Amino acid sequence: MPDTPSVTDEQVAPAVDDLDTIVSLSKRRGFIYPSSEIYGGINAVWDYGPLGVELKNNVKRAWWRAMVQERDDIVGLDAGILMAPQVWVTSGHVAEFSDPLVECATCHRRYRLDELPGAEDVSPADAADAAIIERLGLTCPNDGGPLSAPRRFNLMLKTFLGPVEDEAAIVYLRPETAQGIYVNFRNVQQSSRKKVPFGIAQIGKAFRNEISPGNFVFRMREFEQMEMQFFVRPDGATAAFEDWLPRRRAWYETLGVAPARLRTREHQPGELAHYAKKAVDVEYRFPFGWKELEGVHNRGDFDLGNHARASGENLEYFDPSTEEHYIPWIVETSAGADRAAFTFLIDAYREEEVRGEKRVVLGLHPDLAPYKVAVLPLLKKRSEIVEICRRLRADLARDVMAVYDDTAAIGKLYRRQDEIGTPWCVTVDVDSLDDGAATIRDRDSMTQERVPIEGVKRAILDRMAAARG
Amino acid sequence: MPDTPSVTDEQVAPAVDDLDTIVSLSKRRGFIYPSSEIYGGINAVWDYGPLGVELKNNVKRAWWRAMVQERDDIVGLDAGILMAPQVWVTSGHVAEFSDPLVECATCHRRYRLDELPGAEDVSPADAADAAIIERLGLTCPNDGGPLSAPRRFNLMLKTFLGPVEDEAAIVYLRPETAQGIYVNFRNVQQSSRKKVPFGIAQIGKAFRNEISPGNFVFRMREFEQMEMQFFVRPDGATAAFEDWLPRRRAWYETLGVAPARLRTREHQPGELAHYAKKAVDVEYRFPFGWKELEGVHNRGDFDLGNHARASGENLEYFDPSTEEHYIPWIVETSAGADRAAFTFLIDAYREEEVRGEKRVVLGLHPDLAPYKVAVLPLLKKRSEIVEICRRLRADLARDVMAVYDDTAAIGKLYRRQDEIGTPWCVTVDVDSLDDGAATIRDRDSMTQERVPIEGVKRAILDRMAAARG
């Protein structure tokens, strides 16, 4: 079912050629800023501005709605970022969660082995080979200096809890949210009375000390995951996998991502993570190539089995109808909230020509748009018009994010809203004072419809419901 | 306006006498579990279960709705947990954000000086006095052993970014979200075009290496803040303070907290934090006494002034109407999402007697309740009834959190929903097959109303809107 990629980078154009277009729009309009910018920034951390936080919250809400609210077989969880350190020993992260790091002897720059030209396809065995640098004839891309042999560099960030900074006080910042679900499996199953098959979904921050973060918010050291672990009978894992993979791909399409810019790619045996029996990525055509957007993994009984052995606790599930006891197998769907928001932002971007003028539009799905509606006075000198607009915005804002703007002429106000993806603009004009009606203008079609002012909110809510299908 | 407390612990009873009642309900029903419990737990971190994550998300959503969505003078932000380390030097946290720690020479237990019997009221000057232990005659509460002189213990957790764990790589986990707002002030103001007075609101995790965490989720090492910084002309700070304090207290009351269990308490001059010109706490009567629920602070120009000086960046605001340049003053409202959720949970708890039987009710405001509605079949043997219920739940779940349960008799099903705060139960019975109607049962009044099945969702949404006022 998952097609090994038949489409290459060259065959599908990205929605935006130049990432800088998005980076610059993001800063100018308040989606995403460089973190701590007044102090020169901090590498690989980004801050969400007023529009960005709404977009990202909408992404998280849409995921929660699809994965928890609408399902009667999935419940939510919100575990801590800090967990008992033993969790990461059992999970394999202390031993395995590392990248091969090499350093230049002259300029001291550091690289992940597989990002050096000529080493893109090294296997894990190669990366453990002290002679690999010599064998492949690798030198520093910066100054041509000699490179060290690769050493394993663990990606977990650590801190110290309590007053003494020693080994015993080490606690890790979780590098993934999934483990919080596994160690809570029994508590959740017992308190929610869910029967297998059922899932546990979680959204939360994770941290990785990436050697080479980059591509804007694509790979950050601090990021937010949206993970769901689906617990099944061992013989039900394959069917669950085949159900979840197309479902997760479809989620992006339902929220507006162009199907042509999505593909699935199955991990080859040598590429599989230590916990995975099978893994397929949903990939997106970013401006910098096809990259992972979300992973669907059959993890077998690796997680609950290991945690049961290491903790000495019984993590078997008792099936009351068949009277069987077993360790459930797990099918995981693992997405990133930042990466999803970034994808929706890029994919929605388009430039058009309207009556000889360029307009930039973010064609965001109404569920994702930061503001659902802008209320704009056609004549801000007339205080009655401004008054109507302000009252209308306040009424709309009880239900949806709504914004008022009167700081430019109407054409410019429309362009501003187009550029941030506001699906509908409501204008109040001189006629409104007579007929009590306002004009709803559609972002994409630019058509206008006259609606009684007291019916504007209903019209917006109906259009939102229609867009949701 | 803020009343220095005239009510004492003894004059107002807490909603729940024994914290264990809430801790035990929380674990049993899936609100809050001890973190990493299968590995013996991790001190002062708690995980939110399926009901807890809904409650906490609802608290955050209600706050965002009141503080961002409904206001046209406040915008949101979501800055990183990791920030440039210089931020915490400028803010004063590296130098000042510490507690006096003492240690017993024999049993090695550690205490915060002011929690030792006899040292509750020590001043900061006393805490810096090496002879204070001797002067007050303090000994270890555990074994009576001799105590060390107090040393300043900084509460910030730190980690290392990049491959080398040295001083240059130290990065702190933010101990408060507010600084993320200050360093983004100019980016937010410019991209949102807001004019002073305006506010920036943020919800996010913060971390403190507390010497003595405790009281369940009241004081944790990992917690979530809801902070809003309101930027005003210097001469407008007092008025803004007087506006925000009652507004923030009223927020808790609007969402159901008993007014009698809230009070305000002004910080005395010796108690004021280094940044504050004035500070008033909204306090709640917890089972362990009156404690801070939220703080409202006049911070003057401390924050933007210091960050401008330290970064060399111009953080003045230019007022286009008066042509003045000035550093805005800040009035801050600082609340905790965990503490607020905990407060709503405790305050909603009640035990009642109904027809000779005890019932436990969480009288949560409908906006806060994890499930808005439960759909219950009166006769689960009849497949048509179950079918109707499942379809109804799925339809409700497109708009609100709804749950289906058929695993007990109806009386028990009602009690289960009462105990987790579900405002409405919908039952489908044999008559429903004839008349196409269902019964909506109200959690608090226990009255029942017969409603056409296709009108159930509208009835629930109308009741939710009515509860919101």
Side-chain angles (χ1 to χ4, degrees), chain A residues 33 39 69 158-159 191 222 307, chain B residues 33 39 158-159 191 307 397:
Chain A
Y33 314 119
Y39 287 106
Q69 184 180 317
K158 56 190 181 193
T159 188
S191 58
E222 173 182 342
H307 281 302
Chain B
Y33 314 121
Y39 288 105
K158 57 190 178 192
T159 188
S191 58
H307 282 301

Side-chain angles (χ1 to χ4, degrees), chain B residues 12 37 54 87 125 129 265 283 296 305 308 311 313 357 370 385:
Chain B
V12 175
E37 194 184 25
E54 300 298 338
V87 171
D129 174 5
R265 189 182 72 78
E283 293 189 334
V296 179
S311 68
E313 299 282 337
E357 276 183 40
I385 292 180

Side-chain angles (χ1 to χ4, degrees), chain A residues 33 36-37 39 47-48 69 78 80-82 84 90 158-159 162 165 184 187 191 209 222 307 390 397-398 469, chain B residues 33 36-37 39 47-48 69 72 78 80-82 84 90 158-159 162 165 184 187 191 209 222 307 397-398 469:
Chain A
Y33 314 119
S36 305
E37 194 183 24
Y39 287 106
D47 292 349
Y48 289 82
Q69 184 180 317
D78 184 12
I81 290 168
L82 306 177
T90 306
K158 56 190 181 193
T159 188
E165 294 182 4
N184 279 299
N187 272 339
S191 58
N209 201 0
E222 173 182 342
H307 281 302
R390 293 216 174 261
R398 291 176 53 84
Chain B
Y33 314 121
S36 306
E37 194 184 25
Y39 288 105
D47 293 348
Y48 288 83
Q69 182 179 319
D72 64 355
D78 184 13
I81 289 168
L82 306 177
T90 306
K158 57 190 178 192
T159 188
E165 294 183 1
N184 279 300
N187 272 339
S191 58
N209 201 0
E222 172 182 343
H307 282 301
R398 291 177 52 83

Side-chain angles (χ1 to χ4, degrees), chain B residues 193-265:
Chain B
R193 302 156 170 273
K194 287 290 173 202
K195 296 199 175 81
V196 167
F198 78 99
I200 304 176
Q202 179 170 229
I203 298 176
K205 286 270 173 100
F207 297 81
R208 294 180 185 176
N209 201 0
E210 298 282 356
I211 297 170
S212 304
N215 285 325
F216 197 31
V217 297
F218 178 80
R219 177 165 284 121
M220 296 190 284
R221 285 182 171 147
E222 172 182 343
F223 60 105
E224 196 154 12
Q225 292 189 308
M226 308 189 291
E227 296 196 314
M228 192 280 295
Q229 313 292 320
F230 206 70
F231 301 88
V232 297
R233 282 172 59 104
D235 60 7
T238 302
F241 191 99
E242 299 300 315
D243 176 58
W244 276 109
L245 179 59
R247 195 179 285 282
R248 288 307 307 154
R249 176 180 177 152
W251 183 76
Y252 295 96
E253 296 177 7
T254 306
L255 287 169
V257 173
R261 287 190 283 266
L262 292 169
R263 71 178 190 189
T264 51
R265 189 182 72 78

